Amino acid sequence: MEDKAIIDLYFERKEEALKATDQKYSAYLKKVISGILSRKEDVEECLNDTYMAVWNRIPPESPAMFRAFVAKIARYTAFNKYDYISAEKRNSSFDVILSELEECLSAGDTVEKELEAGILRDALDSFLYGLKKEKRIIFLRRYWFGDSIGEIADKFGLGESKVKSMLFRLRGQLKEHLKKEGIAI
């Protein structure tokens, strides 16, 4: 079923919208969520929460890119679950991925930090667009989808040490790019 037809089902408030979304995107969404959460039960719970959030947001929203829309909701839901798990000292393997980016990106909860988030997003976009396609995809596979080093190496036919060194250099380039953009690290 085409995305437009699925969105139309949401606007008509038909439960078939959820079934169609699950049928078309469940594998993709599980991959996105499992990059953040490792327990199968948590992944399933987040998948269900994602569907509920999509149901509650359409209408009034009418996403132009449905796949990206549901993936963004899935990531947000997974990060919320991750925060809950981490608060209870039940850390997952995603800690490793976050720690890799720690020196490039700072976190904060102030209003000023929220305003700076837009500037940071634009700087990240310009950094990513400046990369060659393979490096951009590898960076995103690691830090957006949460793929392991081994998975990335297999997908690109590279050795794990090559992927590790490439990511190390990319983090260094990101750090320099952010400094040039005037973003404090």
Side-chain angles (χ1 to χ4, degrees):
M1 182 179 289
E2 294 295 318
D3 288 351
K4 174 76 171 102
I6 296 172
I7 292 169
D8 290 342
L9 290 172
Y10 279 102
F11 272 91
E12 295 168 12
R13 304 312 284 164
K14 293 188 177 178
E15 287 188 28
E16 295 93 62
L18 296 170
K19 293 175 187 168
T21 303
D22 184 60
Q23 185 176 15
K24 187 168 184 180
Y25 291 115
S26 65
Y28 171 65
L29 295 174
K30 284 179 183 178
K31 177 66 177 154
V32 169
I33 295 167
S34 65
I36 300 166
L37 302 170
S38 55
R39 290 185 49 225
K40 183 180 177 182
E41 297 83 11
D42 293 335
V43 172
E44 289 297 326
E45 181 182 340
C46 282
L47 184 62
N48 289 330
D49 290 346
T50 297
Y51 294 149
M52 180 60 69
V54 172
W55 179 263
N56 290 331
R57 289 181 62 178
I58 302 175
E61 294 183 51
S62 181
M65 295 175 17
F66 187 66
R67 182 176 193 243
F69 179 79
V70 294
K72 183 177 180 181
I73 291 172
R75 282 180 53 79
Y76 179 79
T77 304
F79 277 123
N80 282 342
K81 182 69 172 177
Y82 175 80
D83 286 344
Y84 173 78
I85 292 168
S86 296
E88 294 188 1
K89 307 296 184 225
R90 290 183 255 149
N91 295 333
S92 74
S93 61
F94 199 68
D95 284 336
V96 174
I97 294 171
L98 292 176
S99 69
E100 290 175 9
L101 284 177
E102 210 166 55
E103 65 184 50
C104 300
L105 306 172
S106 60
D109 297 313
T110 66
V111 173
E112 292 83 11
K113 293 288 184 182
E114 291 295 322
L115 293 173
E116 291 172 0
I119 296 168
L120 178 60
R121 182 192 62 239
D122 293 343
L124 285 170
D125 285 347
S126 68
F127 169 74
L128 291 170
Y129 287 122
L131 295 176
K132 290 184 179 181
K133 184 177 179 180
E134 182 181 66
K135 289 181 180 182
R136 180 174 56 246
I137 292 170
I138 288 172
F139 189 89
L140 290 172
R141 293 300 323 170
R142 179 68 173 159
Y143 300 117
W144 175 264
F145 292 102
D147 287 0
S148 70
I149 300 294
E151 289 172 323
I152 295 169
D154 289 344
K155 282 180 187 172
F156 290 90
L158 302 170
E160 288 189 23
S161 62
K162 171 80 172 168
V163 173
K164 286 179 185 177
S165 64
M166 184 184 296
L167 289 168
F168 177 79
R169 286 191 299 276
L170 287 171
R171 288 191 307 271
Q173 291 171 6
L174 173 60
K175 190 174 182 178
E176 287 303 311
H177 180 78
L178 294 175
K179 282 182 185 177
K180 287 178 187 174
E181 295 289 321
I183 297 173
I185 300 170

